[in-house]
Amino acid sequence: MAFLFNSDPVRAAVFRKVFARELPDVELFHSSECVDPEKVRYLLTWTAPDDIARYRNLEVLFSLGAGVDQFKRESLPQQVKLVRMVEDGIIRMMQEYVVLGVLSLHRDMVAYREQQKRQAWLGLAAPQAAERRVGFFGLGMLAQAAIERLLPFRFPLAAWSRSRKEIDGVTCFYGADQLAGFLARTDILVCLLPLTEETRGILDAALFSRLPAGARLLHVGRGPQLDQTALLQALDSGHLDAAMLDVTDPEPLPDGHPLWRHPKVMITPHIASVTQADSAAQSVVDNIRRHRAGEELIGLVDRTLGY
Ligand code: NDP
Ligand code: OXD
């Protein structure tokens, strides 16, 4: 029985060590050329290889990342379970990044960075956290983990998801009917939605116009969810105050793209959260054990919903 690890050699070495210790009966291969395709039951990869059909006994396809939009779901063999990455390292890094982003937007760091360039020493009036309403677009694993860390700051917190949820300390909205109400009470919008056909382009001009004047955007989902032209217009018109983008479309943005130098925009190169080899290896091992015991897999993707 084989596990094919289709990613970088450094992480492969970590996985090899953890597998040797925890699942000695599963052989780990780092190269598809060295493995008998019939033996491959598990495959971990960022995108599916074109020749995935040759792994006729493949049972579980593990995504190297938390997102799975990079897989063409319709071309994956039907019997294969697709599993997104759920591991402590990704969660911790996202908690750090979202707290950093929300506090930066709350405390006007984008504006202060611009002032520094002009050698301007000018304090801006800042509302208290209790007066700055933060809203999460998506209330899944990562949003819930980030919310846990934000709670002590006392921002009024809300979230919008597809299905109904109840979370202590969070006003929960769901579905298309409740979207307008959610947006109307959101001063800092944190996008942590997965990219699906429903969420592609969701951050558009109409949506921005429903946010209160002076709202701010923290985008950590996926680039194609954002209409970048609409964002530029909303920033230039003064309706939106600032945006912090960890994801763009394309990545990176082309040289000279207006977002690169926009005074109200801060960009990071898709580093909010990165899969950590040690904790990821342990979580994959645990999931393989679950799979063998006939239990439900953590992070199993609903192929119809796309996340
Ligand atoms: P989850 O699958 O745990 O949660 C997704 C959430 O989005 C759920 O609350 C879901 O609603 C909601 N949702 C999905 N579709 C819709 C819709 N059409 N309308 C309303 N709500 C919707 O995802 P994670 O929290 O693990 O990850 C979220 C995304 O973060 C990833 O898909 C990835 O794109 C991005 N990411 C970015 C990283 C970065 O470094 N920038 C790193 C890791 C992930 P419901 O609960 O009702 O199902
Ligand atoms: C992920 C990412 O999906 O890094 O894990 O974006």
Side-chain angles (χ1 to χ4, degrees):
M1 179 173 304
F3 178 96
L4 179 58
F5 184 93
N6 182 26
S7 184
D8 61 284
V10 176
R11 284 196 273 206
V14 176
F15 267 69
R16 193 182 296 290
K17 234 164 118 181
V18 175
F19 269 64
R21 188 182 68 222
E22 305 271 343
L23 281 180
D25 62 321
V26 178
E27 267 185 291
L28 188 142
F29 291 86
H30 184 217
S31 161
S32 57
E33 279 152 32
C34 306
V35 65
D36 171 0
E38 303 273 313
K39 283 174 69 180
V40 175
R41 296 287 165 84
Y42 310 108
L43 168 63
L44 183 143
T45 185
W46 175 247
T47 51
D50 291 339
D51 60 357
I52 191 163
R54 71 198 281 258
Y55 304 112
R56 289 195 302 135
N57 298 313
L58 184 65
E59 293 174 22
V60 186
L61 178 57
F62 291 98
S63 167
L64 185 61
V68 291
D69 50 284
Q70 67 280 18
F71 290 96
K72 292 191 192 91
R73 294 191 313 282
E74 62 289 349
S75 60
L76 298 180
Q78 264 318 310
Q79 82 285 359
V80 174
K81 293 179 194 299
L82 176 60
V83 173
R84 69 203 166 82
M85 186 56 75
V86 177
E87 62 95 6
D88 290 349
I90 284 196
I91 294 173
R92 269 198 312 273
M93 287 185 78
M94 189 57 83
Q95 288 175 317
E96 291 171 3
Y97 189 91
V98 171
V99 170
L100 173 78
V102 168
L103 291 181
S104 299
L105 290 169
H106 170 55
R107 296 301 304 267
D108 300 308
M109 292 313 285
V110 182
Y112 285 126
R113 190 193 50 171
E114 277 310 295
Q115 287 192 180
Q116 184 180 344
K117 283 186 196 159
R118 291 184 277 112
Q119 301 184 34
W121 184 272
L122 177 67
L124 302 169
Q128 294 295 295
E131 295 154 354
R132 184 91 76 183
R133 300 159 297 177
V134 176
F136 279 79
F137 229 17
L139 187 49
M141 169 185 79
L142 296 174
Q144 290 186 37
I147 282 171
E148 225 178 85
R149 291 288 177 273
L150 276 178
L151 278 168
F153 293 101
R154 300 176 183 252
F155 294 104
L157 298 173
W160 180 75
S161 54
R162 197 179 46 80
S163 58
R164 187 182 191 143
K165 299 253 172 329
E166 274 183 36
I167 305 225
D168 276 353
V170 182
T171 308
C172 294
F173 296 79
Y174 72 101
D177 293 350
Q178 297 188 5
L179 179 58
F182 164 76
L183 294 171
R185 54 73 59 210
T186 292
D187 300 312
I188 296 180
L189 178 64
V190 182
C191 180
L192 262 171
L193 286 167
L195 177 61
T196 64
E197 283 323 303
E198 285 178 23
T199 67
R200 186 177 295 277
I202 192 167
L203 298 168
D204 63 4
L207 181 141
F208 294 141
S209 71
R210 290 164 154 185
L211 290 169
R216 293 146 193 219
L217 171 69
L218 175 59
H219 187 26
V220 252
R222 285 289 186 262
Q225 289 162 341
L226 172 65
D227 178 339
Q228 295 173 165
T229 307
L231 174 65
L232 285 163
Q233 281 164 358
L235 291 166
D236 290 339
S237 73
H239 183 61
L240 292 191
D241 259 6
M244 195 163 155
L245 311 176
D246 185 55
V247 289
T248 59
D249 185 24
E251 291 182 356
L253 290 170
D255 281 354
H257 191 286
L259 281 171
W260 273 126
R261 285 178 178 273
H262 199 285
K264 292 181 171 180
V265 176
M266 197 184 253
I267 293 178
T268 51
H270 199 145
I271 46 70
S273 170
V274 179
T275 299
Q276 300 299 302
D278 270 314
S279 38
Q282 192 57 56
S283 101
V284 169
V285 161
D286 291 346
N287 245 346
I288 291 178
R289 290 205 176 107
R290 255 184 221 101
H291 177 63
R292 288 170 149 188
E295 294 166 12
E296 194 168 327
L297 298 179
I298 293 183
L300 182 66
V301 172
D302 179 325
R303 292 247 211 140
T304 317
L305 293 177
Y307 68 95

